[in-house]
């Protein structure tokens, strides 16, 4: 499989390492030096993996659509343009797979989080909050994963209507507490706290390898499936 890496930072390099170990090729690597690449440079590419920056992601996705190349997007912070991108994808019969987190463990965590949020509807004495910890180079706060976790809780728990990235005294607001610490790949926790006890579910990444492996798995999966818009739940067949 010939892969274009759109973004060649730490994640891009980790994906490259694993891809080459699996026998794939990387004919195109887009860095800050060639960020204005042309869609014609994607000729012969089987799939693109986008891990650049929020300000480049939308343009990169559109270039992939123009070149008729399936694209897997791991960059977050661009979702204000998601409706536009999805409309273009469908209209042009293109293939897009995006996720806030490609770790297999995190996506299993998402499922557990959804089920627990629904279960806790019957126990209003437990106050829920989300905490996410990332490395100091993380550009967005809260993280895309933290937002996904919060939105899953809001969708499945009738006590919460919106999230805020700070402490809140409002019962209908879900707190996401963001922390930035050196050399932390990503830790996400959900707490349900009452006066007598506490329930916690937590995912801790030990390295970027899990994210890279998941993104490559998604790329392999996307090249074998129909045009459309997908997420990691499709790849992992999580219902």
């Amino acid at each position: 499989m010939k892969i274009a890496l759109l973004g060649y930072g730490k994640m891009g390099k980790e994906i490259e390492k694993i891809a080459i170990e699996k026998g794939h090729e990387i004919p195109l690597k887009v860095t800050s030096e060639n960020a204005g690449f042309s869609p014609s440079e994607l000729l012969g590419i089987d799939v693109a993996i986008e891990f650049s920056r929020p300000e480049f992601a939308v343009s990169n996705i559109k270039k992939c659509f123009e070149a008729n190349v399936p694209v897997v997007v791991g960059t977050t912070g661009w979702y204000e343009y998601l409706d536009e991108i999805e409309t273009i994808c469908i209209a042009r019969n293109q293939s897009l797979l995006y996720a806030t987190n490609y770790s297999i463990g995190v996506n299993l965590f998402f499922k557990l989080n959804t089920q627990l949020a629904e279960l806790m509807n019957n126990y209003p004495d437990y106050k829920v909050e989300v905490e996410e910890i990332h490395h100091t180079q993380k550009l967005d706060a809260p993280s895309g994963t933290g937002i996904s976790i919060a939105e899953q809780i809001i969708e499945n728990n009738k006590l919460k209507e919106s999230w805020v990235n700070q402490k809140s005294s409002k019962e209908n607001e879900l707190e996401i507490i963001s922390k930035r610490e050196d050399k932390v790949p990503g830790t996400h926790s959900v707490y349900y706290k009452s006066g007598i006890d506490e329930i916690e579910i937590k995912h801790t990444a030990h390295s970027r390898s899990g994210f890279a492996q998941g993104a490559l798995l998604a790329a392999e999966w996307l090249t074998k499936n129909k045009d459309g818009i997908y997420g990691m739940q499709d790849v992992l067949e999580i219902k």
Side-chain angles (χ1 to χ4, degrees):
M1 190 167 69
K2 293 183 178 180
I3 303 170
L5 293 179
L6 310 184
Y8 195 58
K10 293 178 180 178
M11 271 300 300
K13 291 181 174 66
E14 188 68 25
I15 293 169
E16 178 185 39
K17 175 184 173 183
I18 297 172
I20 290 174
E21 288 174 353
K22 297 188 69 174
H24 300 305
E25 300 177 43
I26 314 291
L28 177 64
K29 291 180 281 192
V30 174
T31 68
S32 57
E33 296 181 359
N34 63 336
F37 72 98
S38 166
S40 63
E41 295 180 57
L42 293 166
L43 182 65
I45 295 294
D46 296 308
V47 64
I49 302 179
E50 213 288 336
F51 269 93
S52 62
R53 297 169 63 95
E55 60 267 32
F56 298 129
V58 172
S59 175
N60 287 346
I61 294 168
K62 289 180 178 179
K63 289 177 183 179
C64 290
F65 289 168
E66 186 174 341
N68 201 35
V69 172
V71 56
V72 171
V73 184
T75 304
T76 57
W78 60 274
Y79 293 149
E80 61 189 289
Y81 302 100
L82 182 57
D83 288 345
E84 176 191 353
I85 289 298
E86 289 186 338
T87 298
I88 296 171
C89 182
I90 293 169
R92 297 185 181 178
N93 297 316
Q94 296 300 306
S95 299
L96 169 70
L97 193 155
Y98 68 93
T100 56
N101 196 306
Y102 283 89
S103 162
I104 294 172
V106 162
N107 282 277
L108 296 174
F109 178 93
F110 284 164
K111 181 65 174 180
L112 181 61
N113 177 54
T114 298
Q115 293 176 328
L116 183 57
E118 185 175 2
L119 179 66
M120 296 305 290
N121 272 310
N122 296 323
Y123 305 97
D125 288 343
Y126 287 86
K127 309 304 179 185
V128 59
E129 69 177 48
V130 176
E131 178 185 83
E132 57 99 357
I133 308 173
H134 280 86
H135 51 83
T136 53
Q137 288 76 43
K138 179 71 172 172
L139 296 177
D140 50 334
S143 66
T145 303
I147 293 173
S148 290
I149 291 169
E151 290 180 344
Q152 290 159 9
I153 294 170
I154 292 167
E155 184 177 349
N156 292 277
N157 190 295
K158 61 187 178 184
L159 301 178
K160 298 298 181 182
E161 298 176 2
S162 61
W163 60 265
V164 291
N165 193 208
Q166 60 189 23
K167 287 289 186 180
S168 175
S169 60
K170 297 180 180 180
E171 289 293 323
N172 65 339
E173 288 185 341
L174 173 60
E175 300 173 3
I176 306 178
I177 305 304
S178 298
K179 298 180 179 180
R180 297 293 176 261
E181 300 176 5
D182 192 30
K183 298 180 181 180
V184 178
T187 301
H188 297 87
S189 303
V190 177
Y191 303 96
Y192 288 88
K193 302 177 180 180
S194 76
I196 56 175
D197 60 10
E198 179 178 311
I199 301 168
E200 175 187 356
I201 57 173
K202 180 178 183 180
H203 178 273
T204 302
H206 298 305
S207 72
R208 291 182 176 83
S209 179
F211 309 131
Q213 289 181 14
L216 187 58
L217 177 66
E220 293 169 337
W221 182 92
L222 189 60
T223 61
K224 300 173 184 176
N225 286 272
K226 297 179 181 180
D227 302 339
I229 302 166
Y230 303 98
M232 276 302 283
Q233 71 276 7
D234 299 302
V235 179
L236 301 176
E237 297 184 352
I238 298 174
K239 305 301 182 182

